Amino acid sequence: MATSKLTRRSVLAATSILAMPAVLRAQDATIKIGFPVPLTGPYGTEAKDQVACAQIAIDDFNAAGGLAGRKAELLVRDDKLNPGEAATRTLELIEKDQVNFIAGSLSAAVQLAVNNVAKQRGVIFNSISQSDQITALPDWSKTTFHEAMTPHLTAGAVGRYAFSKFGKKVVFLRADYAYGDEMVDGFKATGASMGIEVLADLKHPLGMTDFSTLLPRIQSLKPDMLVLCNFGRDQQISIKQATDFGLKKTTKIVAPILLYTSRVAVGPAAFEGVIGGTSYYWGIEANTPSAKIFNDKYRKANGNKLPSDYGALGYAGVRSILDACLRAGSVETAKVVTALEGAKYDSYKGGQEMRSCDHQSVQSVFIIESKSKDMINEYDVFNVLATDAANADNLRSCKDEGHA
Amino acid sequence: MDGITPDLIILQLFTGLALGAIYVLLALGMSLLFGMLTVVNFAHGAFYMLGAYIGIVLLGIGLNFWMCLLFVPLVVGSLGLLAERFLIRPLYGRGIDYPLLLTFGLSYMMVECVRIVFGTQGLPFDTPELLQGASDIGIGYFPTYRLFVIGVAAMVLVLLWLFLERTPYGLIIRAGARDPQIVRILGIDVGRVWLVVFGIGTGLAALAGLLAAPLQGASPEMGNSILAEAFVVTVVGGMGSLVGAVIAGLLVGVVVSMTSLFQPEMAQVSIFALMAVVLLIRPQGFFGRAGLMS
C-alpha cells in the first residue's frame, strides 16, 4: 500500500471533479423526450402523425421560452411495432441519449415493454395507446402515466350507447390478442347490467385478410349488433367484407375504436353507418375551444391537414409532461411526478384529470358514426353522436387494479 | 354448436370455393414458374400486391375496372419480363436457391418501393358498381363480387389450358419444361420461352392481386401472408403441377372455411396442418413428380 498514493479520499475527489461538468451539462442541456413509435409497419401512418403532433407540443413549449430558457427536444425512434425492438430503443434512449422522459408507443404489448424498461430505470413514461394492464399492478409504477383511454373505458362508453339503442343480441368478433380480449371484457362488463345476450364470441388471428368464412355463420345468427374488437387493417377489411355480405341490412356494426385513418383508407362506402368510439375527432372543435386551437396549430404546420385520433394523443402525451415540468419548475423525476399526479388540464379535447392513484387520464369518449354523404371536405368523415363525459366512475377502480 | 343448418354448411362450402379461387390464381402462376423454370418465386406475393396498386394507378388515369382486368396483368407481366431478363436469367443453371434468394430480396425491394410511393397505410379500392351488393344463390345471400371472382378464375383456367395444350407455342413451352436441351437442339430459343412463361406467371399473380383488391383494399403487405398460403397450395398440389394447383387451391379454401365454421381461431393453422398431413402421406404432393426438388 505504501507504494501507492491512491487513497480512497483522493479517488472520490477526483471522480467528483470529473463528474461535475457532466452534472452541470445535464442541468443546462435541453429537455429530451424519447418517443418510440412504430414508424414502419402496419400502424406507420398513425405513428407518423403522432410524431407530427408531438412536435407541435415541443415547438409551442420552446416558443414560449421553455423551462427558464431550457428548450425541449423530441428524440423519435422506430419501435417497428415489436416489443423487443421497443425495449432496446427505450434502453438506448435512456442510457445513451440520456433522455429525461419517455412518451409514445402504439400497441398494448409494446407499451408494456417500454414501461418495463422505463420503470426499472426510474424514468417517467407517458403512454399514448390503449391498455388496461398498464395502469394496474404489477405493470404500473410510480413513474408510469397513461394519457390514452383504456379498453375498459372505451368499450364501456360505446357499449352504454349502442346496447341501449340497437338491441341486445350481440355477436363479438375479436382479434385474438390483448387488445381484442380487453375490449370484449369491457363490453361484457357493461352489457351484463344491460341484459345483453351474447350469441357468439368469435376469435380471429391477428392480420387476417379474409373474413368471408366467418360471415355466413354470423349472418345466420341474426344478431342486432356485430361488435368488431379488432384494429387497423383487420378492422378495415372485416368492415368492408361484412358490408359486401349484406350484413348491414339486419345488423348494426359497432367498433370500440373507429379509426380516423382506417376510415380515410377504406373510403365512405364500406364504413357507412358504422358506429364506434374515439379519443379525439377534429370535428369537436365546433364546441371545444382547446380542440380548435390545437387543430389550427396542426393545420398551420401540416399544410391545412387535420390531426388523427392517435396523432392527437402524441401531442397530449408530450404536452402533459412539459406542462408538468413548468409547474414543477424542474425536470427532476420526483417533482414532475408530483406535478402530474392529480393534474387537471384541457390541452386538446376538453377537461381531463390525471388520476392520482393509478396515473390514468380521466377523459371523455366520443361516440362517432361514419359519414357517407354531405361531407364538407376529405377530412369530414365522422358525425359525433354523443359524448361520454369524463368521469372516474367509468374507469376501473384503483382497488380493482390492485392499488392500495 | 347449435344453429348449424345444412344450408349454412353448403353456403360455407361455397365460401371456401370462392376463397380458393384467389389461391388457385396465385398458385397457378407459382406452379408454372416452378414447373417450367424451376424458379421458386418468393416475389410472387409482391407481384400480387403490385397488381392491386397498378390497378389503382390505371383507375386513377381514367381506365375502368374491366379494362384493368386486361391491362394490369400486361403491365405487371412486362415488369416480370424485365425481372426475368435482367435478374433471374443470369442465375439459370446455378441451383434452385439462387433465384429463390434473389426473388426473396426483390420482394422486399418491391414492397418498400410501394410504401415510399403510395404510403404505408394502404389505399381504398371500391368494388365495381355493377358487382356491389349480395345476390341470392338459393341457399342464402352471397357477395356478387365473389361470384365474379370464381367466374374469372374459371375463365383464366380454361384460357391457360387452351394456350398450353392447344397452341404451337404451348407445345414449345411444355417441351421446354420437359427437356430444354432437345428443344434447344431443335433450334428453338428456350431463353425466350422462359421469358414468356415468367411474364405469364407474374401476370397471373397481378390479376389475382387486382381481384383481391376490392375484397380487402390495397396495402403494401397484402402479398406477405397470402404468399405463405400460395406456397402451401403449390406444395399440397405438387410443385409444378397446374392441375394440382387448382385442386389444392380449392381444397385449402374449403378447409379454411369449414374450420372457421367450427373453430375460427384454428382456421389459419388448419392450412398448415393440411400441408403436414399431405407431406407425411405423399411427400411430392397430389400431382407432383417425386424428386423434382433434389
Side-chain angles (χ1 to χ4, degrees):
Chain A
M1 272 303 175
T3 51
S4 170
K5 296 242 166 70
L6 224 58
T7 62
R8 205 171 85 96
R9 184 168 297 180
S10 68
V11 169
L12 277 176
T15 321
S16 61
I17 289 163
L18 281 173
M20 205 111 78
V23 172
L24 287 175
R25 230 182 301 127
Q27 273 172 0
D28 294 335
T30 51
I31 303 168
K32 290 181 180 173
I33 300 185
F35 200 67
V37 284
L39 293 172
T40 52
Y43 306 157
T45 311
E46 283 85 358
K48 288 192 187 93
D49 204 38
Q50 291 184 320
V51 173
C53 290
Q55 194 57 48
I56 294 176
I58 298 275
D59 293 345
D60 277 357
F61 178 81
N62 291 342
L67 177 64
R70 281 183 72 180
K71 299 288 168 75
E73 181 192 357
L74 193 68
L75 281 74
V76 180
R77 296 291 180 269
D78 184 8
D79 67 32
K80 300 183 181 161
L81 204 62
N82 175 326
E85 183 83 21
T88 312
R89 293 286 88 81
T90 307
L91 194 60
E92 275 173 16
L93 281 167
I94 294 172
E95 299 286 337
K96 192 167 135 265
D97 300 310
Q98 310 259 309
V99 295
N100 303 88
F101 309 100
I102 304 269
S105 81
L106 184 51
S107 136
V110 170
Q111 66 182 303
L112 294 176
V114 172
N115 182 51
N116 196 32
V117 175
K119 82 175 178 190
Q120 278 171 11
R121 280 159 185 78
V123 175
I124 290 176
F125 169 46
N126 196 9
S127 165
I128 56 173
S129 81
Q130 295 230 359
S131 167
D132 277 322
Q133 242 173 293
I134 195 158
T135 56
L137 293 172
D139 282 287
W140 183 86
S141 78
K142 191 76 179 160
T143 55
T144 306
F145 290 83
H146 195 235
E147 188 72 45
M149 308 194 296
T150 63
H152 182 90
L153 171 68
T154 315
V158 175
R160 277 188 293 280
Y161 182 86
F163 295 145
S164 64
K165 282 218 162 45
F166 309 118
K168 312 282 187 207
K169 285 194 278 182
V170 183
V171 169
F172 290 106
L173 179 58
R174 62 166 106 174
D176 197 5
Y177 74 116
Y179 174 84
D181 297 342
E182 290 186 344
M183 284 296 179
V184 171
D185 289 347
F187 276 110
K188 284 183 175 167
T190 307
S193 59
M194 299 177 76
I196 64 160
E197 182 191 349
V198 180
L199 300 179
D201 180 358
L202 307 170
K203 292 180 182 178
H204 71 78
L206 200 58
M208 186 136 152
T209 52
D210 200 295
F211 293 80
S212 65
T213 56
L214 297 167
L215 292 165
R217 166 119 183 94
I218 294 173
Q219 218 160 12
S220 74
L221 290 167
K222 298 191 175 59
D224 297 322
M225 208 185 303
L226 170 64
V227 183
L228 293 171
C229 297
N230 50 19
F231 197 82
R233 283 197 58 72
D234 284 340
Q235 184 186 68
Q236 296 168 20
I237 298 174
S238 54
I239 290 180
K240 187 164 173 37
Q241 295 183 351
T243 308
D244 290 344
F245 266 79
L247 202 69
K248 281 182 191 161
K249 284 182 203 133
T250 51
T251 303
K252 194 78 186 169
I253 298 181
V254 174
I257 302 178
L258 203 49
L259 280 174
Y260 176 80
T261 40
S262 285
R263 162 58 185 77
V264 173
V266 176
F271 271 59
E272 185 183 5
V274 177
I275 300 263
T278 188
S279 58
Y280 183 73
Y281 175 58
W282 67 267
I284 62 166
E285 68 178 13
N287 42 29
T288 313
S290 57
K292 173 79 176 134
I293 295 169
F294 168 61
N295 289 342
D296 285 344
K297 283 175 188 161
Y298 188 95
R299 284 184 179 106
K300 204 173 153 214
N302 298 284
N304 260 335
K305 286 188 186 151
L306 284 154
S308 67
D309 34 29
Y310 272 80
L313 277 164
Y315 172 78
V318 170
R319 180 164 165 187
S320 285
I321 292 175
L322 291 173
D323 284 354
C325 289
L326 290 175
R327 286 196 300 275
S330 161
V331 295
E332 265 176 60
T333 302
K335 287 181 184 165
V336 177
V337 166
T338 314
L340 274 168
E341 281 181 340
K344 288 188 168 64
Y345 56 104
D346 177 0
S347 46
Y348 75 116
K349 62 177 284 191
Q352 287 175 257
E353 181 183 347
M354 193 59 86
R355 187 159 74 168
S356 299
C357 57
D358 67 347
H359 299 175
Q360 167 62 40
S361 171
V362 183
Q363 59 191 296
S364 50
V365 182
F366 303 100
I367 311 295
I368 50 174
E369 180 182 36
S370 183
K371 266 176 133 169
S372 63
K373 26 185 174 310
D374 307 328
M375 293 170 284
I376 52 168
N377 58 38
E378 58 181 309
Y379 311 110
D380 182 20
V381 294
F382 295 132
N383 281 322
V384 179
L385 299 174
T387 305
D388 199 70
N391 181 350
D393 294 342
N394 294 338
L395 294 168
R396 287 171 73 196
S397 72
C398 285
K399 198 160 159 268
D400 276 356
E401 293 173 334
H403 301 287
Chain B
M1 218 170 176
D2 54 340
I4 292 182
T5 59
D7 270 6
L8 181 59
I9 290 179
I10 296 171
L11 192 60
Q12 198 75 27
L13 216 67
F14 200 74
T15 312
L17 292 178
L19 186 63
I22 296 268
Y23 292 149
V24 168
L25 280 182
L26 203 59
L28 264 184
M30 227 147 115
S31 230
L32 201 63
L33 296 191
F34 184 76
M36 310 278 168
L37 276 53
T38 28
V39 168
V40 179
N41 185 16
F42 262 84
H44 216 67
F47 282 108
Y48 164 90
M49 176 272 301
L50 215 52
Y53 276 95
I54 298 291
I56 289 174
V57 172
L58 293 183
L59 287 172
I61 59 168
L63 268 66
N64 62 32
F65 184 76
W66 314 100
M67 288 148 87
C68 284
L69 284 176
L70 178 68
F71 284 106
V72 163
L74 285 181
V75 172
V76 178
S78 312
L79 293 174
L81 293 183
L82 290 177
E84 198 275 351
R85 179 62 191 81
F86 295 105
L87 300 173
I88 315 272
R89 187 170 294 183
L91 303 178
Y92 287 139
R94 289 209 203 187
I96 199 164
D97 35 358
Y98 281 78
L100 187 153
L101 288 172
L102 180 114
T103 52
F104 190 72
L106 183 65
S107 76
Y108 272 90
M109 286 177 59
M110 288 166 70
V111 169
E112 214 50 54
C113 286
V114 167
R115 280 189 186 138
I116 291 168
V117 176
F118 297 97
T120 51
Q121 174 68 30
L123 294 170
F125 200 118
D126 282 332
T127 313
E129 214 157 302
L130 206 61
L131 301 170
Q132 281 175 7
S135 305
D136 193 354
I137 54 167
I139 39 170
Y141 281 91
F142 200 75
T144 314
Y145 183 74
R146 282 182 194 259
L147 296 173
F148 171 75
V149 170
I150 300 177
V152 172
M155 207 173 76
V156 167
L157 277 182
V158 171
L159 288 178
L160 192 66
W161 182 82
L162 285 176
F163 174 71
L164 288 176
E165 299 288 329
R166 290 285 184 270
T167 64
Y169 211 86
L171 187 68
I172 296 173
I173 291 177
R174 281 182 292 137
R178 185 155 301 179
D179 197 335
Q181 199 76 39
I182 295 288
V183 174
R184 208 172 273 137
I185 291 168
L186 288 171
I188 290 165
D189 184 356
V190 178
R192 187 180 294 170
V193 174
W194 286 350
L195 186 69
V196 170
V197 169
F198 204 89
I200 294 175
T202 46
L204 280 174
L207 181 64
L210 176 68
L211 287 171
L215 298 174
Q216 46 164 282
S219 74
E221 297 82 20
M222 66 189 283
N224 298 0
S225 57
I226 200 152
L227 180 71
E229 286 150 13
F231 265 120
V232 172
V233 170
T234 6
V235 168
V236 168
M239 297 284 288
S241 161
L242 299 188
V243 183
V246 175
I247 292 179
L250 297 179
L251 180 69
V252 166
V254 169
V255 166
V256 171
S257 183
M258 295 322 272
T259 318
S260 25
L261 183 56
F262 297 100
Q263 207 69 48
E265 53 269 53
M266 305 290 279
Q268 262 172 343
V269 180
S270 69
I271 302 177
F272 299 98
L274 172 75
M275 178 169 81
V277 171
V278 171
L279 285 181
L280 280 175
I281 299 169
R282 211 180 143 75
Q284 71 271 40
F286 291 158
F287 296 92
R289 279 173 285 159
L292 204 57
M293 288 291 278
S294 49

